[in-house]
Amino acid sequence: MAQTGRTKLAAVIGWPVGHSISPRLHGYWLSHHGVDGAYVPLAVRPGDLAETLRLLPRIGFVGFNVTVPHKQAVLALVDEADPEARAIGAVNTVIVETNGRLRGKNTDAFGFLQGLRSGFPDWDPGHGPVVVIGAGGASRAVCAALVGAGVSELRLVNRTEARAEGVARDIGDSVTCVPWRRRGAALEGAALVVNTTTQGMTGESPLDLDLAALPTAAAVMDIVYAPLETPLLADARARGNRVIDGLGMILHQGRPGFAAWFGAEPEVTEELRRYILAGLDDGK
Ligand code: ATR
């Protein structure tokens, strides 16, 4: 749709921001829904963050996404943050309210659960223990989502154990930390394993995890989406486990922001997945 003087504006704020798939994602939905809107990447230095947040509503932005390295800092800068964003300790979506106040949300937990359910529609928290690898920002969203969905035993494994203990403290009693050297044994009896580390991403080494103890009935999900099939997922697939890639999570996390800013409920379809994957291949 052609833009007009009334075009609604949204953005993604990051430093750098060139890697973000959000402009392509929201651009697809804007044109699919025929919305008079625009979604632009804004490269904002950490030192300019507070000023940018105050300026955007004044010049007509209806909201924005926040990416690396600003997600934690924005939590402290918004006027109000949803309880989930506070529990996760990060904001990835900001909505400008009619009075100009900034409301911070975290939609990564929602995106994760939707991504999990789109790859495994029958997944049920009662299936059994879940093992989460990694204790960074992504892990906090994944753990909050799993515990919120009703998982009663979450085994958290991270190379730096103190970080895992910090996540366990913030997320709750269902999280038990398992030492990194026992990560293989942590898979015994598990129903689901989720990699939230950067290992397996293009340019990084594969996740060092021996799947021998994992039941073949278990599912393995990787939140890395480039490549779509990480070495972990290839390994899991070869031994007969169900695998779920990370693309669903990143696409679904964009839905609540789009709906709030532009007033249309966007969907994640096979066509959208293909469109985003073609962009990843072209480096867009
Ligand atoms: P994000 O916010 O995307 O989760 P992050 O906060 O940098 O990113 O966290 C990266 C995660 O990958 C951490 O769990 C990190 O482990 P440490 O806490 O020990 O650093 C994990 N990670 C990164 N490189 C790793 C490696 N070579 N082996 C194992 N885990 C690694």
Side-chain angles (χ1 to χ4, degrees):
M1 177 164 178
Q3 287 163 9
T4 67
R6 280 184 292 277
T7 295
K8 283 188 174 172
L9 301 172
V12 55
I13 297 177
W15 182 262
V17 78
H19 66 279
S20 174
I21 68 161
S22 294
R24 192 168 166 90
L25 172 62
H26 288 273
Y28 174 93
W29 282 332
L30 285 170
S31 92
H32 184 80
H33 290 278
V35 173
D36 181 10
Y39 183 104
V40 293
L42 298 178
V44 176
R45 287 184 174 79
D48 293 332
L49 185 63
E51 201 181 334
T52 304
L53 253 59
R54 291 296 142 203
L55 179 63
L56 290 180
R58 297 218 299 267
I59 58 174
F61 278 76
V62 293
F64 45 91
N65 285 124
V66 184
T67 188
V68 179
H70 300 316
K71 288 187 185 188
Q72 282 85 15
V74 168
L75 177 65
L77 292 168
V78 290
D79 298 302
E80 207 175 329
D82 286 356
E84 190 167 45
R86 274 189 263 118
I88 295 168
V91 161
N92 76 333
T93 303
V94 175
I95 293 158
V96 177
E97 297 184 328
T98 39
N99 55 8
R101 283 166 63 85
L102 300 177
R103 166 180 288 277
K105 298 172 75 64
N106 190 306
T107 67
D108 286 333
F110 168 83
F112 165 75
L113 269 191
Q114 295 291 317
L116 170 60
R117 292 220 154 94
S118 63
F120 189 174
D122 299 329
W123 179 76
D124 186 290
H127 283 164
V130 179
V131 180
V132 173
I133 319 284
S139 167
R140 284 177 176 268
V142 167
C143 292
L146 289 166
V147 170
V151 167
S152 57
E153 185 183 346
L154 195 160
R155 304 171 186 162
L156 182 60
V157 187
N158 192 50
R159 179 182 60 177
T160 309
E161 277 171 49
R163 258 186 124 188
E165 282 154 17
V167 175
R169 252 193 319 274
D170 293 347
I171 304 294
D173 292 345
S174 349
V175 182
T176 318
C177 300
V178 179
W180 182 244
R181 66 188 148 72
R182 304 229 345 117
R183 60 196 179 283
L187 305 180
E188 270 168 37
L192 173 68
V193 182
V194 186
N195 174 46
T196 71
T197 76
T198 44
Q199 298 291 277
M201 203 180 267
T202 306
E204 299 280 344
S205 45
L207 180 69
D208 179 12
L209 180 66
D210 181 351
L211 298 181
L214 185 69
T216 43
V220 179
M221 178 164 171
D222 205 323
I223 71 158
V224 169
Y225 58 86
L228 205 52
E229 178 147 292
T230 58
L232 171 69
L233 293 189
D235 211 12
R237 188 191 296 282
R239 62 193 294 287
N241 293 103
R242 179 201 285 263
V243 301
I244 304 146
D245 67 56
L247 191 58
M249 174 173 175
I250 181 106
L251 302 182
H252 282 282
Q253 64 72 34
R255 287 171 44 207
F258 187 92
W261 305 323
F262 300 119
E265 290 290 340
E267 281 181 25
V268 173
T269 58
E270 255 320 299
E271 187 190 89
L272 172 62
R273 273 179 68 93
R274 280 196 300 275
Y275 177 73
I276 297 295
L277 285 173
L280 290 175
D281 290 344
D282 294 353
K284 278 186 205 137

